[in-house]
Amino acid sequence: MFRSASRVRSGSVPGRVQGYVSECGIREGCPQGCQYPADMTSLTPLDNLSPVTRAAYRARGAAAEIAPLPRAAKDEALLAIADALEVRTAEIVEANAVDIAKAREAGTSEAIVDRLTLTPERVRAIAADVRDVAALPDPVGEVVRGSTLPNGIDLRQVRVPLGVVGIIYEARPNVTVDAAALCLKSGNAVLLRGSSSAYASNNALVTVLRDAVGAPACPPTPSSSSPASPASRSAS
């Protein structure tokens, strides 16, 4: 969920990325590295783009905000997510029952139905996994290796977030939470594309996760079977 980036430093050079993608368009001072359509300006509304493209731009903007978050903030959010999953287990299981019923009506094999199923025990296990992720060391900023050149310049290979992680998966609603937690821990925004067979489950899970971290809601992406995860306020 993160990459190693080599960088040369000859002292501390503070800097801040200004601006991000908003619901209404591109604000001035967009994050470094953002690549937008040539005809897009700071006044171009995201509504003119496809739902998936809008979500991607929001994710790219959110990535700049998530990447520098300290470990304490990320761990606090993860623990809040774990607590919310346990508190709202009944709501999640009820939504999952809708997917299970549709799967059986469609003649889906019991093996896939079992993979799709969320029981109170499984939801509690997912919450426990989120707490395990919170307990992991923060990978962001870890120095992998480095050396000092004869001229005194320090070379360091440092782990940094990738930016935006896209994940496609099917009939595994637990992946919605697992992927969101791992990406948040590693400082990445995430776009999740679950299967239509788990739509109700994923929608309920994303609602719980978003509420837990206090992210604003956004409408589901019509071309996607489940809303993008709140691990990125990107799609929020």
Side-chain angles (χ1 to χ4, degrees), residues 6-129:
S6 297
R7 65 186 185 189
V8 178
R9 299 190 306 172
S10 56
S12 176
V13 182
R16 285 169 41 182
V17 176
Q18 300 292 331
Y20 57 93
V21 180
S22 71
E23 289 282 2
C24 299
I26 309 302
R27 295 185 178 179
E28 294 183 359
C30 62
Q32 296 176 0
C34 287
Q35 298 297 320
Y36 302 116
D39 59 348
M40 177 174 271
T41 70
S42 61
L43 299 179
T44 302
L46 288 178
D47 289 344
N48 290 343
L49 306 175
S50 72
V52 173
T53 303
R54 291 202 304 269
Y57 280 127
R58 287 196 297 269
R60 185 65 185 88
E65 298 182 78
I66 296 172
L69 288 178
R71 174 179 179 175
K74 293 185 289 187
D75 289 351
E76 181 181 359
L78 289 169
L79 294 176
I81 287 171
D83 291 343
L85 288 169
E86 292 181 336
V87 170
R88 298 172 68 175
T89 295
E91 175 184 337
I92 295 168
V93 172
E94 181 179 356
N96 179 249
V98 175
D99 290 331
I100 297 301
K102 289 182 177 179
R104 289 208 164 101
E105 287 176 6
T108 304
S109 70
E110 283 303 312
I112 295 180
V113 169
D114 179 68
R115 190 170 67 186
L116 180 64
T117 301
L118 290 176
T119 63
E121 292 74 23
R122 290 184 178 182
V123 175
R124 285 194 291 270
I126 294 171
D129 289 341

Side-chain angles (χ1 to χ4, degrees), residues 49-226:
L49 306 175
S50 72
V52 173
T53 303
R54 291 202 304 269
Y57 280 127
R58 287 196 297 269
R60 185 65 185 88
E65 298 182 78
I66 296 172
L69 288 178
R71 174 179 179 175
K74 293 185 289 187
D75 289 351
E76 181 181 359
L78 289 169
L79 294 176
I81 287 171
D83 291 343
L85 288 169
E86 292 181 336
V87 170
R88 298 172 68 175
T89 295
E91 175 184 337
I92 295 168
V93 172
E94 181 179 356
N96 179 249
V98 175
D99 290 331
I100 297 301
K102 289 182 177 179
R104 289 208 164 101
E105 287 176 6
T108 304
S109 70
E110 283 303 312
I112 295 180
V113 169
D114 179 68
R115 190 170 67 186
L116 180 64
T117 301
L118 290 176
T119 63
E121 292 74 23
R122 290 184 178 182
V123 175
R124 285 194 291 270
I126 294 171
D129 289 341
V130 174
R131 291 193 177 93
D132 288 342
V133 172
L136 293 172
D138 190 347
V140 180
E142 177 187 351
V143 177
V144 180
R145 54 179 170 270
S147 62
T148 302
L149 301 181
N151 62 3
I153 293 180
D154 289 332
L155 290 178
R156 295 288 183 269
Q157 186 177 39
V158 182
R159 296 193 189 281
V160 298
L162 288 168
V164 179
V165 177
I167 301 175
I168 300 174
Y169 55 104
E170 293 191 13
R172 291 184 183 276
N174 61 296
V175 172
T176 299
V177 181
D178 293 344
L182 289 170
C183 286
L184 176 57
K185 181 69 177 189
S186 55
N188 291 293
V190 61
L191 288 173
L192 301 176
R193 191 358 176 139
S195 66
S196 58
S197 61
Y199 182 82
S201 304
N202 287 336
N203 191 49
L205 288 168
V206 168
T207 298
V208 171
L209 269 61
R210 185 180 287 121
D211 290 348
V213 299
C218 72
T221 301
S223 58
S224 173
S225 66
S226 63

